[in-house]
């Protein structure tokens, strides 16, 4: 069995962060979202992985390498532009051959991994198996309709009037039957080859499509709110570990990880929190559900429920919360007079100003 991991999306909902970085590499608890998926695949006993990449291919290849650090063998599959999940299957045909495979969206996060799902598929081996979860607004997802006995009877992609609240999670398992299906469908109104249409084609042709409803934690980390929520969930699993330097004037409370090479002076750290290697926290407060990446500087500030990416500094700005701060960012106080705001903002930025 092989795995096909999709990492070619543009990440428009995470701009401006994704103007300069692949969305799959934005860290959760100081580890790229994509890495959690690759680890889940390895844990399920799958070693042969095709990684579909787009404009950010060079960055992803540099981060993942040949896959050996995950116990995987990686084959990179270039996709000129994101033309749908079924298109990714289409262009991966040579890599997939006649093997069964799991398709995993690289920006999805599933607590507990996929080992049980893969074992179930290997045992029963339907033509396709999909993962479902109940959501508040199914209009933003692919949606499954189930029959009276729980069988899959229909699928729709982002419907205006959903027939259920069961959304497709970004993990699919297929036999080679899917290849004929992706060749038989036409692009949707979005101009994409939808995997929901390909699975519907399997249903219409009498193939067996099974579903598994998950009740655990799943997130599509496509926006800032979801990124912060996933970060919170992962940090809740931390075990306390202090490998860096913490002086006597500092206090660490609860599940706090201070990586080797980090330094905390005159500060209070209340977990769950992770402080990356090379980061210096001085005369500050870092509160629950915060991850600070490597080589950052936090001084005379308060930080809570936030993600700070590498090589950034926050100096003398009071309290920051519910924030995602990118790489090489400088956050400093504005002059108190004259009373004006001075902004340098990238495309698609969102700013909240207290007046």
């Amino acid at each position: 069995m092989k795995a096909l991991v999709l990492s070619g999306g543009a990440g428009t909902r995470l701009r401006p962060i994704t103007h300069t970085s692949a969305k799959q590499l934005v860290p959760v608890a100081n580890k790229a979202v994509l890495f959690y998926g690759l680890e889940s695949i390895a844990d399920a006993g799958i070693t042969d992985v095709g990684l579909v990449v787009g404009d950010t291919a060079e960055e992803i290849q540099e981060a993942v390498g040949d896959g050996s650090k995950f116990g995987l063998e990686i084959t990179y599959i270039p996709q000129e532009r994101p033309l749908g999940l079924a298109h990714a299957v289409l262009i991966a045909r040579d890599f997939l051959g006649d093997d069964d495979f799991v398709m995993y969206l690289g920006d999805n996060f599933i607590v507990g991994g996929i080992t049980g799902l893969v074992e179930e598929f290997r045992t029963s081996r339907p033509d396709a198996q999909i993962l479902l979860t109940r959501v508040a607004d199914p209009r933003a997802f692919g949606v499954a309709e189930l029959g009276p006995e729980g069988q899959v009877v229909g699928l729709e992609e982002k419907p205006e009037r959903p027939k259920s609240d069961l959304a497709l999670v970004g993990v699919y398992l297929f036999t080679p039957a899917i290849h004929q299906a992706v060749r038989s469908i036409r692009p949707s109104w979005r101009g994409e080859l939808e995997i929901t249409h390909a699975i519907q084609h399997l249903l219409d042709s009498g193939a067996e499509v099974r579903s598994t409803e998950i009740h655990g934690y799943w997130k599509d980390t496509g926006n800032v709110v979801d990124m912060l929520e996933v970060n919170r969930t992962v940090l809740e699993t931390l075990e306390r570990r202090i490998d860096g330097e913490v002086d006597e004037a500092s206090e660490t409370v609860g599940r706090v990880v201070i990586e080797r090479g980090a330094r905390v002076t005159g500060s209070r750290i209340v977990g769950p929190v992770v402080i990356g290697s090379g980061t210096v926290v001085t005369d500050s407060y870092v509160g629950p559900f915060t991850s600070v990446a490597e080589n950052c500087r936090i001084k005379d500030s308060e930080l809570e429920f936030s993600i700070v990416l590498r090589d950034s500094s926050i100096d003398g700005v009071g309290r920051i919360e519910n924030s995602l701060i990118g790489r090489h960012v400088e956050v400093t106080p504005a002059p108190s007079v004259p009373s004006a705001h001075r902004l340098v903002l990238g495309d698609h930025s969102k700013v909240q100003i207290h007046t």
Side-chain angles (χ1 to χ4, degrees):
M1 192 169 185
K2 293 177 179 176
L4 185 66
V5 179
L6 276 57
S7 299
T12 55
R13 290 178 296 160
L14 272 174
R15 287 177 177 168
I17 297 292
T18 49
H19 278 307
T20 54
S21 179
K23 66 176 179 175
Q24 297 86 3
L25 297 181
V26 176
V28 169
N30 286 1
K31 181 165 66 176
V33 171
L34 175 61
F35 291 2
Y36 290 97
L38 294 176
E39 289 170 355
S40 293
I41 289 166
D43 290 342
I46 300 170
T47 58
D48 203 357
V49 176
L51 197 55
V52 177
V53 291
D55 292 342
T56 58
E58 185 176 343
E59 184 184 12
I60 289 176
Q61 190 162 356
E62 182 180 352
V64 176
D66 62 2
S68 57
K69 63 184 176 183
F70 304 100
L72 303 172
E73 296 180 12
I74 301 290
T75 299
Y76 290 94
I77 302 170
Q79 186 181 35
E80 287 188 15
R81 53 195 177 100
L83 294 173
L85 305 188
H87 180 261
V89 176
L90 196 65
I91 64 173
R93 183 68 176 92
D94 289 343
F95 166 76
L96 294 169
D98 292 324
D99 292 310
D100 296 347
F101 67 98
V102 56
M103 184 167 74
Y104 197 114
L105 274 58
D107 59 354
N108 276 221
F109 186 89
I110 301 174
V111 169
I114 61 170
T115 300
L117 180 70
V118 170
E119 290 175 350
E120 178 185 345
F121 178 80
R122 281 173 162 154
T123 300
S124 55
R125 202 168 178 266
D127 295 293
Q129 187 163 345
I130 57 178
L131 216 55
L132 304 175
T133 191
R134 297 190 184 275
V135 297
D137 185 6
R139 293 174 300 174
F141 302 92
V143 176
E145 180 186 3
L146 303 185
E149 297 180 2
Q151 74 276 23
V152 182
V153 297
L155 296 166
E156 294 180 285
E157 185 63 36
K158 296 180 173 62
E160 278 295 318
R161 295 178 178 83
K163 295 179 181 178
S164 80
D165 62 351
L166 290 168
L168 276 74
V169 174
V171 177
Y172 309 78
L173 296 108
F174 296 115
T175 67
I178 193 63
H179 295 301
Q180 189 275 331
V182 298
R183 291 195 301 270
S184 301
I185 61 173
R186 296 181 178 274
S188 68
W189 62 270
R190 301 193 304 164
E192 297 186 2
L193 291 176
E194 311 285 2
I195 198 65
T196 46
H197 293 177
I199 299 171
Q200 183 65 53
H201 184 276
L202 288 177
L203 286 168
D204 294 342
S205 63
E208 183 182 9
V209 178
R210 293 190 182 182
S211 67
T212 300
E213 183 179 348
I214 64 169
H215 302 281
Y217 188 85
W218 163 77
K219 277 288 184 184
D220 169 4
T221 60
N223 60 52
V224 173
V225 172
D226 287 339
M227 285 294 304
L228 293 174
E229 180 63 21
V230 171
N231 192 61
R232 180 193 65 79
T233 300
V234 176
L235 289 176
E236 284 182 335
T237 67
L238 284 182
E239 295 184 4
R240 182 179 172 88
R241 177 168 53 84
I242 309 295
D243 292 335
E245 300 177 23
V246 179
D247 74 355
E248 293 182 355
S250 297
E251 180 185 16
T252 60
V253 180
R255 289 166 292 173
V256 173
V257 172
I258 310 291
E259 298 287 2
R260 188 176 305 279
R263 189 167 74 253
V264 177
T265 60
S267 299
R268 189 167 191 260
I269 315 294
V270 179
V273 164
V274 58
I275 305 293
S277 172
T279 287
V280 177
V281 181
T282 307
D283 299 329
S284 295
Y285 164 78
V286 181
F289 311 121
T290 300
S291 61
V292 182
E294 64 271 20
N295 301 320
C296 292
R297 298 293 181 268
I298 313 294
K299 183 178 180 181
D300 295 326
S301 301
E302 297 183 4
L303 188 63
E304 190 166 290
F305 196 62
S306 295
I307 299 172
V308 182
L309 276 60
R310 62 179 174 84
D311 300 303
S312 291
S313 67
I314 300 170
D315 189 348
V317 295
R319 186 172 182 85
I320 294 175
E321 59 184 27
N322 300 315
S323 298
L324 174 58
I325 297 172
R327 301 174 298 179
H328 302 281
V329 168
E330 294 182 10
V331 183
T332 58
S336 57
V337 288
S339 181
H341 302 289
R342 183 174 182 270
L343 305 175
V344 178
L345 301 173
D347 297 345
H348 306 283
S349 294
K350 294 182 179 180
V351 177
Q352 292 180 326
I353 296 176
H354 180 72
T355 58

